[in-house]
Amino acid sequence: MKINSAIATIILGLFIFSGCAARKAASESQSLISHKWTLLSASDIDAGSSGAFIEFGTAPGEVRGKAGCNGFGGNYTAKGSALKFGGMMGTKMACPALDVENAFFRALESTERYEISNDRLFLYQGNKLVATLQATDR
């Protein structure tokens, strides 16, 4: 009898733990679409005054933004901490901030995962940080 109650306790604990993990993943995904994310840096290039940003959730799985002077749009998939961008398209105007813009697009193309901490979105390729963004109001 005691073994059965111990097993039941373990199983209950696993259900509670998995439920918390699922809620955390859903909460993080919700955090992605809850903000406009302003680019602070990409590939070690300071982007603070570029005006570059990204917004998730304009429609389910869609993303849009501005990469300096050119607007862009595409799609994304997020599951847990995994994040991938695809189908990115944008305008092709020349501008003085092309170094920031090119670094931002390279960062988006290489992103494999993300973390959110203290209103900052960190994009990673493996363990390498490729971009840092700040949550701002829409």
Side-chain angles (χ1 to χ4, degrees):
M1 261 333 210
K2 289 186 180 189
I3 292 175
N4 286 342
S5 76
I7 291 172
T9 301
I10 290 170
I11 291 171
L12 179 62
L14 289 173
F15 278 122
I16 291 170
F17 177 75
S18 66
C20 291
R23 279 192 300 278
K24 181 180 179 202
S27 172
E28 287 178 355
S29 179
Q30 183 64 33
S31 294
L32 278 176
I33 64 174
S34 298
H35 302 286
K36 173 180 174 182
W37 297 96
T38 301
L39 183 66
L40 299 177
S41 65
S43 303
D44 298 325
I45 294 175
D46 180 13
S49 63
S50 69
F53 69 89
I54 191 167
E55 291 180 301
F56 296 80
T58 54
E62 290 186 359
V63 65
R64 69 175 196 92
K66 186 174 179 186
C69 68
N70 288 294
F72 67 90
N75 54 55
Y76 74 96
T77 56
K79 184 171 183 175
S81 65
L83 178 63
K84 291 298 285 179
F85 296 95
M88 302 300 270
M89 298 175 67
T91 59
K92 303 233 181 230
M93 297 184 299
C95 64
L98 281 178
D99 58 334
V100 171
E101 190 160 299
N102 291 333
F104 191 22
F105 284 134
R106 282 192 306 273
L108 294 176
E109 290 171 4
S110 67
T111 296
E112 298 172 343
R113 67 181 182 88
Y114 74 99
E115 293 176 4
I116 296 174
S117 178
N118 297 322
D119 289 330
R120 296 240 170 135
L121 171 61
F122 302 97
L123 303 179
Y124 292 92
Q125 178 183 28
N127 290 325
K128 179 184 175 188
L129 179 65
V130 294
T132 303
L133 299 100
Q134 176 71 46
T136 56
D137 293 333
R138 289 185 182 224

